[in-house]
Amino acid sequence: MAASVGFLIVFSWLASRFGYPDVLDLPAAEVLPRLLSLGGAGRAVWAVYALLPLLLIPAAAGAVGALKRVDGRSDAAVRIGLLLQVFAALCMTLGLARWSTAQWSLATSWQLADAAQRVGLAAMFDVLNVFLGNGIGEFVGELTLYGSFLAFAIALHHNGAKKVAALGAVTALAGWIGMFRNITPSVQLAADVTNVLLPLFLIVFGISLLRGKAS
């Protein structure tokens, strides 16, 4: 629940101040000066954004405890969900951390660089976005994150929480479709829907566990 609220706050701030995520489609010559113009506060927001996925690790561990059977054991789906969510959190943090570290360094260098140097900086900017951003942070991170949602949805269904399970399964399906948005724009609608379903599922999942209705 904390991760969901934090995600909404930080995402909204970056959307209004940085034009995120549409700004990711722009070249380095436009993005790097805009990134640096955010100042220290903007760099801190990016750092917080990178750390938010790590909240999913203790959240998943708590879900494992809450979904244990009466004999104290956990279903295989729950254990798989935990492993996938830990891996997803690490991948997403790695991808997002580039903005307050490597990309920020490139933005600082961009100010004093000549035309030839900026070609190299722009190439590095693109490589970081493709490898750390699109590849690890988004594709691998989202692949495993939504896999964990499906695993937890299976466990929820076994525990009788069918409505929450259905929401988790729909979120996972929409997320898996939407993660191909960097390959084809035809799935952008699924990505937009996922941006709503993701925090909604986490909040509903958290509330259901707190109220004891998922066990």
Side-chain angles (χ1 to χ4, degrees):
M1 292 168 62
S4 300
V5 174
F7 167 79
L8 291 173
I9 293 174
V10 172
F11 191 92
S12 298
W13 192 93
L14 290 172
S16 62
R17 305 292 182 86
F18 190 51
Y20 183 80
D22 295 338
V23 69
L24 301 181
D25 295 326
L26 301 177
E30 296 184 49
V31 178
L32 293 178
R34 290 173 62 174
L35 176 64
L36 202 61
S37 69
L38 294 176
R43 190 176 190 181
V45 169
W46 272 115
V48 170
Y49 197 14
L51 294 174
L52 283 175
L54 297 180
L55 292 176
L56 296 176
I57 297 177
V64 170
L67 291 170
K68 282 184 178 179
R69 301 197 304 251
V70 292
D71 60 3
R73 299 179 62 186
S74 299
D75 289 336
V78 175
R79 296 194 296 271
I80 292 172
L82 172 61
L83 292 175
L84 288 174
Q85 201 150 116
V86 169
F87 191 76
L90 295 175
C91 287
M92 290 187 291
T93 289
L94 182 61
L96 289 170
R98 78 189 189 278
W99 287 103
S100 59
T101 55
Q103 300 291 42
W104 196 273
S105 179
L106 292 180
T108 302
S109 300
W110 186 272
Q111 296 182 103
L112 303 176
D114 57 30
Q117 292 171 326
R118 287 186 174 182
V119 171
L121 292 174
M124 181 60 68
F125 172 82
D126 291 337
V127 168
L128 289 171
N129 280 341
V130 172
F131 181 68
L132 289 179
N134 300 147
I136 295 178
E138 294 181 4
F139 195 85
V140 178
E142 292 177 18
L143 176 67
T144 49
L145 177 66
Y146 298 124
S148 74
F149 284 4
L150 183 58
F152 282 125
I154 293 172
L156 287 165
H157 188 271
H158 289 167
N159 283 30
K162 295 183 178 180
K163 291 182 179 179
V164 183
L167 178 59
V170 170
T171 303
L173 179 60
W176 275 336
I177 296 173
M179 72 183 188
F180 289 97
R181 62 191 175 278
N182 294 317
I183 299 176
T184 171
S186 62
V187 300
Q188 186 58 49
L189 178 59
D192 294 337
V193 170
T194 304
N195 287 335
V196 176
L197 292 177
L198 171 59
L200 177 62
F201 170 65
L202 290 176
I203 291 173
V204 171
F205 188 18
I207 292 174
S208 69
L209 294 177
L210 287 173
R211 297 178 63 184
K213 291 189 176 182
S215 59

